[in-house]
Amino acid sequence: MTGPSLKQLHAHKQIHDTGLALAVQMTDDLIMNYKDYDEATLKQEVLAIVDFFESRIISHADAEEEENGFYSEVVAVHPEKADAVTQLKRDHDIMRQIIKHVKHQIEEGFSTNIFDSFRSIIIVNEIHSRDEERLLLQ
């Protein structure tokens, strides 16, 4: 059963916007300061951002996709929105794949390519959030 905040446009949008703003801030901070960090600190900072993405963005996605979660409830009431839900789940999968890629990449050693991966997650998440709000909540 979905909590009320996922069913209301304003509250759901606030969840999206807060997570997005924090992700941008953390990524910008890393990009601006990475030259001041040693390898261990870089890894720690990258993993902190990965943890943020997993704990805020992916956990939100997981909640939406639960068996009796938001997406199931939307499709039960509006079967015509099943294709939109499939598209939104694909967005979640893309973000999960990029996070998995970053985890593998940081184990190999820091590269500024990680910045591109973080920016990619941010872009996908922003597009996803606006689509979800427009397709399922308006």
Side-chain angles (χ1 to χ4, degrees):
M1 184 76 168
T2 302
S5 63
L6 291 182
K7 296 177 186 177
Q8 299 170 1
L9 176 61
H10 177 72
H12 204 128
K13 186 174 181 345
Q14 184 65 37
I15 292 168
H16 288 162
D17 291 349
T18 301
L20 184 63
L22 290 169
V24 168
Q25 180 182 359
M26 292 174 76
T27 301
D28 286 350
D29 288 347
L30 176 63
I31 292 169
M32 288 176 24
N33 297 310
Y34 83 97
K35 289 182 181 181
D36 298 331
Y37 299 146
D38 60 25
E39 187 77 19
T41 304
L42 275 170
K43 183 176 181 177
Q44 180 181 343
E45 293 295 317
V46 167
L47 292 176
I49 297 172
V50 166
D51 181 64
F52 174 82
F53 281 124
E54 289 179 327
S55 66
R56 291 289 296 268
I57 294 170
I58 299 304
S59 67
H60 176 75
D62 291 344
E64 291 174 331
E65 292 183 23
E66 286 178 347
E67 185 176 333
N68 293 314
F70 176 59
Y71 287 174
S72 296
E73 290 179 10
V74 167
V75 172
V77 175
H78 302 282
E80 71 278 7
K81 294 186 178 190
D83 287 344
V85 167
T86 299
Q87 169 192 324
L88 295 166
K89 286 181 178 181
R90 177 64 177 145
D91 295 344
H92 292 167
D93 287 341
I94 290 168
M95 288 185 281
R96 287 181 186 106
Q97 288 177 44
I98 297 169
I99 289 168
K100 183 177 178 179
H101 175 75
V102 169
K103 287 174 153 180
H104 175 74
Q105 198 171 13
I106 196 64
E107 290 304 318
E108 299 288 315
F110 176 78
S111 165
T112 56
N113 290 337
I114 289 172
F115 301 156
D116 296 333
S117 296
F118 285 158
R119 290 281 186 222
S120 297
I121 295 168
I122 289 167
I123 291 166
V124 170
N125 187 46
E126 184 171 23
I127 293 167
H128 167 83
S129 295
R130 300 301 82 94
D131 284 350
E132 186 177 86
E133 293 157 9
R134 179 178 51 82
L135 295 170
L136 303 184
L137 293 165
Q138 291 183 344

